[in-house]
Amino acid sequence: MTFPPPISAATPQDFFRPGVDEGLWLLRPESMEPVPFEMTDIPWLSLASDHRIRLLNDSLMRTYSNNGSSLLFPSVLAYAQDVTVSQTYMAIGGKYLLSAAGGRRIRSSFIQTRDDAVKGNKDLALARHLEDGARKARPLTIWDGPDPRDLDFVIDTRNFHNFYHFTKESLPLLTLYAQYGLRGRIVFYANNENISDFVHQSIEAWFPELRERIVLTGSNKQKRGYNAKAALIAYDTTSYYFQTTNRLMRDVNKLGVKIDRRAKLSNARDLAKITVEAPLAALRARALQRVDHGQVPKLRLYVQRRAARNRAVVNESLLTDILSRHGFHMIAFEDSIVPEQAAIVANCEALVSIHGAGVTNMLYAPSGAKIFELSNTQTINGRFGDFSPIANAAAVTYAHIYLDHDHPDPSYVPSIANDSHRGVRFTPFSASATAAYIFAMLDKQDALDAHKVCETANSEGNYDLLVQLLDQHQDIMAHTADYHVWRANIASQQHNRPEVLRNLIHALMLAPRRIMLLKRILPIAAELSDTSTFDFAAQQMHRIDEALFIDFFKKNDWAHPDSITIKVEEAPDEDDALPDMGGRD
């Protein structure tokens, strides 16, 4: 067997190029082209306490905004020679195979270095190597030797203790076994031998007919791992896409997906976030056929974590107390085995959970269900998009609510590497706004009706009635800026200036680009000597419209905060300003 060099010593030439390097064949003629797939709605709400963190969340999410389309990519079964699997890689002929999530991980390990410049150069060098191969690549040919269906079907598995990775990346590939009429063993190979109960439960629940054929095995640092002269593997065509050209596989831009085809790792990751691998969709369909739906009504679920090793939800009861008043049930997936978890979620209309492996269960949610993920800026930076393919496969609405980190300083963004993956912290305001956001998405007409009656009372100046209405509808309106503006109007009638400012700040948190809010906040903040709010409101007005900012500050005779730099057009030099009078030779 030929083993690749350690990834730390590898060069771009140590990576397999399909259609150029020998050792990979298709089992039968078939299309490797993606097809359009409906993309889920991914709305978000940013409720972090710190102004700058909140705007950062908004900016990042606009960067990651819906591409506008999703694609279903097939995974094809392939015959491979000289196959090795060990630790975190699969190789053919001693060259690392870039396929699916495992391929992206090994590529990430290849470029990993503390020096960003070196990291960028390594990624660029590998991209050029892959693009050179794409230009030379021939179509993958069909294996014409002896029937290979009795060979091992080997599945590169990240580990056996992460529910998300196993369910999304490895388990779906079992759907290929019957599809291709295989007869041999199925070898799940991970980087360890510690097998969690959910692995056995998932196989027993969804693929009981295959359990006698499955081998679960792993390695430690002293072992070389799995190797075979020939084996069957699942080849992910999203990976193939970046290692070929329009000549062999059309550009996804023709299908409405705006992603650069250059073979950079960032492009591969971006495509993976908005696509669905066909086996994942097939796993969902298979599981839902086997789930006992019963006669349970549509459930509203809040997922709690029994194991609070990390990602705590601080002040959780501020939210759950509100949710429980509106029919939400508190559950913990640790209390149920895999098919029971699937059956519960298959009957839900709403599921609320902190970012974590439990969100994987939305794969079994009914189409159109509302899934709400509680997370933070750290998650956007390091984990955003992990669950999006699952949301697409299930055709659910996948809403993100960004809160404070479970860290005492709301202006600090912990890094996953240095501070571990952190949880969230609720304040009374963020809990109220989170609950209202959830209820308004579930009962849209009720939310519209509540807004309309409150708006009428405010416009008529009937503040006694407005107080009653806002109290009555708080649980479905507290996520809107108008709700807090109307509270500010009531406080203004009571001549309570601090309360006016507090409510306007909440409104600005929910509508950071609303100019009229900034115009109301700045004079009150100046009056109350609230320099922090004044400076932020000034900076925000300046970001939105510099000319408006200059005019507004001039009318109020305010000096510009030191944190703001006004762009001043330089006057031309006097010589440049003189007209050309002619008379030159």
Side-chain angles (χ1 to χ4, degrees), residues 195-499:
I195 302 171
S196 296
D197 290 341
F198 68 76
V199 173
H200 298 291
Q201 294 168 10
S202 299
I203 293 169
E204 180 65 33
W206 313 137
F207 300 93
E209 74 281 7
L210 298 180
R211 63 181 179 273
E212 300 302 325
R213 299 177 182 272
I214 291 175
V215 176
L216 304 172
T217 184
S219 69
N220 56 44
K221 292 183 179 179
Q222 285 72 46
K223 293 182 180 180
R224 276 291 196 177
Y226 176 90
N227 58 77
K229 290 183 178 179
L232 301 177
I233 66 171
Y235 186 54
D236 171 41
T237 55
T238 58
S239 303
Y240 182 65
Y241 174 76
F242 290 104
Q243 298 180 65
T244 186
T245 64
N246 296 348
R247 177 170 52 89
L248 300 180
M249 193 175 186
R250 62 179 163 173
D251 196 316
V252 296
N253 285 276
K254 302 292 185 182
L255 298 172
V257 173
K258 299 175 183 177
I259 290 179
D260 192 344
R261 193 164 190 169
R262 286 179 297 175
K264 297 195 309 183
L265 178 57
S266 58
N267 293 334
R269 286 172 171 166
D270 287 345
L271 185 62
K273 290 173 184 176
I274 64 165
T275 58
V276 178
E277 296 164 9
L280 183 65
L283 173 62
R284 168 180 162 80
R286 183 183 183 91
L288 290 181
Q289 288 177 349
R290 289 160 172 76
V291 162
D292 179 13
H293 293 275
Q295 300 300 315
V296 180
K298 290 184 177 180
L299 298 172
R300 296 182 172 190
L301 307 171
Y302 178 85
V303 181
Q304 295 178 307
R305 291 167 63 91
R306 295 272 188 256
R309 299 183 304 275
N310 53 29
R311 273 171 277 171
V313 182
V314 181
N315 301 325
E316 184 176 41
S317 62
L318 292 175
L319 176 65
T320 56
D321 286 352
I322 305 174
L323 295 181
S324 62
R325 295 202 301 264
H326 295 268
F328 270 80
H329 301 274
M330 312 302 140
I331 64 167
F333 285 137
E334 294 98 322
D335 296 339
S336 307
I337 62 174
V338 167
E340 293 171 346
Q341 294 174 28
I344 292 170
V345 176
N347 287 293
C348 82
E349 67 168 343
L351 183 144
V352 182
S353 174
I354 190 171
H355 176 91
V359 180
T360 307
N361 280 309
M362 72 174 159
L363 180 65
Y364 312 116
S367 297
K370 306 293 190 297
I371 311 299
F372 301 90
E373 180 184 284
L374 310 176
S375 59
N376 50 43
T377 311
Q378 185 194 61
T379 302
I380 305 179
N381 283 330
R383 295 288 187 268
F384 179 79
D386 284 1
F387 294 102
S388 296
I390 297 176
N392 282 330
V396 298
T397 294
Y398 179 31
H400 297 257
I401 303 171
Y402 297 112
L403 303 154
D404 288 333
H405 297 84
D406 60 338
H407 189 278
D409 182 358
S411 67
Y412 175 66
V413 179
S415 73
I416 294 177
N418 298 326
D419 303 286
S420 76
H421 202 165
R422 303 302 294 260
V424 299
R425 179 185 300 274
F426 278 106
T427 65
F429 165 73
S430 63
S432 177
T434 296
Y437 181 68
I438 292 168
F439 297 140
M441 289 189 67
L442 292 173
D443 301 301
K444 291 184 178 179
Q445 191 57 54
D446 287 352
L448 290 171
D449 292 344
H451 189 278
K452 185 175 180 179
V453 295
C454 292
E455 184 177 40
T456 300
N458 178 74
S459 63
E460 293 175 350
N462 191 343
Y463 295 111
D464 289 338
L465 175 60
L466 183 59
V467 170
Q468 297 176 29
L469 291 172
L470 292 177
D471 288 345
Q472 177 184 344
H473 297 299
Q474 174 178 331
D475 287 355
I476 203 169
M477 288 186 62
H479 69 297
T480 67
D482 286 345
Y483 172 87
H484 299 280
V485 170
W486 296 331
R487 287 285 190 192
N489 293 345
I490 293 167
S492 182
Q493 291 297 310
Q494 299 167 346
H495 307 290
N496 187 341
R497 303 293 276 173
E499 185 67 8

Side-chain angles (χ1 to χ4, degrees), residues 85 87-88 105 155-160 165-166 169-170 187-192:
V85 187
Q87 296 297 312
T88 57
R105 282 193 289 270
I155 299 173
D156 173 22
T157 305
R158 179 172 184 173
N159 57 53
F160 292 125
H165 286 290
F166 184 78
E169 300 167 7
S170 302
V187 179
F188 281 102
Y189 197 92
N191 63 358
N192 58 63

